[in-house]
Amino acid sequence: MSPIRTAAARVRPWLPPIAVALAAGLAAVGGSYLSVGRRPAFVVTPIDRLVITLSPEALVTFAITELGTLGHQVAFLTAIALTCVLFGLAALPGVAICLDYVSVDSGLLRQRRASIAAGAIVGTVLPTAVAFGLTRSPRSSAGVAAGAALVLLATIGVGLVAGGDATPSSFGRRRVLGAVGSAIGLSALGLFVRGTDTETVSSPLEIPADARPEVRTLLTRAKDQSFEVDGLEPLVSTDFYQVDIGNVDPVVDREEWTLSITGAVEEEVDYDIADIESMALEDRFVTLRCVGDRLNGRQMDTALWSGVPVRSLLEAAGPEGNYVVLHGADSYYNEFPIEALWPGLLAYRMNGRPLPRAHGAPVRALVPGHWGEINVKWLTEIEVRTEETMGYWEHRGWHGTGPVHTVAKLWQVNHLGGGRIEVAGHAYAGTRGVGAVEVSTDGGDTWTEAEISEPLPGDDVWRQWRHEYGATGEHEVIVRARDENGTLQIPDKEGPKPDGATGWVSETVTPQ
Ligand SMILES: Nc1nc2c(c(=O)[nH]1)N[C@H]1C(S)=C(S)[C@@H](COP(=O)(O)O)O[C@H]1N2
Ligand SMILES: [Mo]
């Protein structure tokens, strides 16, 4: 067999091997996804971690506060692209041997079956080794091997089939097309089989048939107490926000999971899921809000959580320090005064169902009144400390471990006809409780108390508010909450970083 080189290859000899190698990289990622889905073993997961770790703080903040979910998607797509390049690089030596560009141009080897075979092997083994090094998952690595091998075989196959009668340039093009086509095909199959592999969290409005009577009563009560305002989320959120340091949630095996209480304690204690489930269960409505939430953002939600009070576990260990660091299985950690943890809950159910993976399965912490970030998910360790240290977000310039600010959101404006307008939303003041919500429909000159929903049981739960009025011209609606002590929501406008957004939500409304 004589080497056939394309016109393009003569001008840019590196182009076909790079194109084929990148296709092998894509196929490696596609193969890994097909075999394990969006899980920690997916080869993109460690790269995603690296991207987030290495991203400049300003970019991460922008993604969290301005882009929200979109920011996660952009970050994840970047990680996917980088992973394709990484595996493309790993496949490149093999591809180069296979395509014989190395050999022909360097004159060291002749194109022959042996070098094709060697190239195919090298081009498969290297990416597989990289995958195993990154994920330690045989299954994910096998997916990578299959993807890389598929592309190499497709390339070689096209070479053998088209070798005889093709013109040099169409021959090179066909090999590249064979490589790219098979890579896209495999990735499409991965997407088809796995979808986006994100968990669907059932709506709390459909109370599960096997719900405990207490849960049924509480969820029904929340439903009944919710205002009937068109488009307004009920008192138990139907779409609970999610904020994570990574784009792939950890998968924690319930049976293998343990929670350790360590550090400055009289006695270190370990619990497994059976221990936790054998303790008396408590149901609590708890609202969470992310410190990165914009003033009128949507990173504030409420669920009915069931679990065990932290108190009994802490008492058993006998803490001898004033601080705790909670650690999650995703290497996330956060530090705060132990005082805040004592009244906390270790939740393993949410709205009458097992805690979803997205919200920290098997067990997460719920710490009354504090910003979302200390409510550590996939909780594995409670480390007691005698001295203060910094948590994950504090290292990145946030101060989100303290109590939440009081806030009233203006989430819904309904035009009821005849110049009647209904404005509504949710208000939250942590453990201080929402005392009142005040609305101004004239840009802040005069204020009226809005109607607020009956309080749900619980020390750390939001309320809804609504207000109906008539208007003819364009006007500005402003809303502000007071906590149960009568303290007004902070008026000065500040963005979320570093202490959480402050100010009063205002919106210009034009009657229809
Ligand atoms: N292990 C772990 N716990 C975590 C996080 C995380 O990234 N990893 N994010 C925190 C942040 S910033 C918030 S606001 C809440 C969000 O909880 P949710 O995703 O269930 O809404 O979880 C907190 N607990
Ligand atoms: Mo957060």
Side-chain angles (χ1 to χ4, degrees), residues 240-246 288-291 305 327-330 332 358-360 364 371-379 393:
F240 204 104
Y241 82 94
Q242 191 186 346
V243 175
D244 299 308
I245 55 171
L288 289 186
R289 184 184 182 202
C290 184
V291 69
W305 311 86
H327 297 267
D330 55 347
Y332 179 81
H359 296 293
R364 82 172 302 166
W371 293 107
E373 69 174 60
I374 70 172
N375 296 259
V376 173
K377 307 195 274 189
W378 312 291
L379 184 68
W393 288 114

Side-chain angles (χ1 to χ4, degrees), residues 142-197:
V144 164
L150 175 74
V151 164
L152 288 161
L153 293 179
T155 311
I156 297 163
V158 170
L160 295 178
V161 172
D165 55 338
T167 64
S169 71
S170 75
F171 174 59
R173 218 179 301 128
R174 277 184 214 174
R175 289 206 288 199
V176 171
L177 280 180
V180 172
S182 54
I184 291 178
L186 183 68
S187 306
L189 180 68
L191 272 180
F192 176 75
V193 171
R194 297 267 172 194
T196 51
D197 207 19

Side-chain angles (χ1 to χ4, degrees), residues 65-412:
T65 58
E66 301 303 320
L67 302 180
T69 317
L70 179 67
H72 271 285
Q73 281 157 357
V74 170
F76 198 47
L77 285 176
T78 308
I80 291 173
L82 288 175
T83 314
C84 290
V85 171
L86 175 73
F87 281 95
L89 284 175
L92 189 57
V95 169
I97 297 172
C98 248
L99 295 187
D100 208 31
Y101 285 99
V102 170
S103 55
V104 169
D105 290 342
S106 64
L108 288 176
L109 290 167
R110 287 218 198 87
Q111 178 167 354
R112 52 199 153 89
R113 280 176 197 278
S115 76
I116 290 179
I121 291 168
V122 171
T124 305
V125 166
L126 277 183
T128 309
V130 171
F132 191 74
L134 283 175
T135 65
R136 305 276 145 187
S137 158
R139 197 162 145 193
S140 180
S141 310
V144 164
L150 175 74
V151 164
L152 288 161
L153 293 179
T155 311
I156 297 163
V158 170
L160 295 178
V161 172
D165 55 338
T167 64
S169 71
S170 75
F171 174 59
R173 218 179 301 128
R174 277 184 214 174
R175 289 206 288 199
V176 171
L177 280 180
V180 172
S182 54
I184 291 178
L186 183 68
S187 306
L189 180 68
L191 272 180
F192 176 75
V193 171
R194 297 267 172 194
T196 51
D197 207 19
T198 36
E199 192 183 19
T200 40
V201 178
S202 333
S203 165
L205 298 178
E206 289 143 33
I207 302 174
D210 61 351
R212 290 169 26 253
E214 297 88 333
V215 165
R216 181 171 298 279
T217 308
L218 286 167
L219 285 176
T220 307
R221 177 163 169 193
K223 208 191 281 188
D224 294 345
Q225 278 179 217
S226 298
F227 284 147
E228 280 183 28
V229 171
D230 250 9
L232 187 68
E233 187 159 57
L235 283 168
V236 169
S237 304
T238 47
D239 183 14
F240 204 104
Y241 82 94
Q242 191 186 346
V243 175
D244 299 308
I245 55 171
N247 289 299
V248 182
D249 297 335
V251 180
V252 183
D253 188 310
R254 276 175 67 78
E255 303 308 319
E256 276 164 32
W257 172 86
T258 55
L259 171 64
S260 315
I261 306 189
T262 63
V265 287
E266 274 163 33
E267 193 186 356
E268 299 207 343
V269 211
D270 290 328
Y271 297 91
D272 62 19
I273 198 71
D275 297 329
I276 300 282
E277 286 180 343
S278 68
M279 299 178 197
L281 197 59
E282 191 176 312
D283 308 300
R284 286 189 199 172
F285 287 109
V286 175
T287 302
L288 289 186
R289 184 184 182 202
C290 184
V291 69
D293 185 32
R294 280 166 295 126
L295 182 60
N296 202 26
R298 294 278 180 163
Q299 289 175 338
M300 176 170 113
D301 281 298
T302 299
L304 178 65
W305 311 86
S306 310
V308 298
V310 186
R311 180 170 298 277
S312 46
L313 283 74
L314 276 185
E315 270 164 0
E320 294 173 331
N322 290 326
Y323 305 94
V324 277
V325 183
L326 304 192
H327 297 267
D330 55 347
S331 310
Y332 179 81
Y333 58 99
N334 222 318
E335 190 255 15
F336 54 96
I338 195 168
E339 206 188 333
L341 186 62
W342 278 106
L345 189 74
L346 299 178
Y348 59 90
R349 297 184 73 80
M350 181 182 182
N351 298 327
R353 295 186 159 87
L355 185 65
R357 180 177 153 217
H359 296 293
V363 174
R364 82 172 302 166
L366 292 170
V367 185
H370 285 243
W371 293 107
E373 69 174 60
I374 70 172
N375 296 259
V376 173
K377 307 195 274 189
W378 312 291
L379 184 68
T380 55
E381 185 184 347
I382 300 176
E383 178 196 348
V384 181
R385 291 180 58 99
T386 50
E387 269 155 59
E388 252 181 301
T389 174
M390 284 201 273
Y392 182 94
W393 288 114
E394 282 168 315
H395 279 293
R396 288 156 182 81
W398 291 83
H399 307 158
T401 60
V404 293
H405 299 318
T406 298
V407 69
K409 306 270 188 179
L410 204 181
W411 277 346
Q412 197 62 34

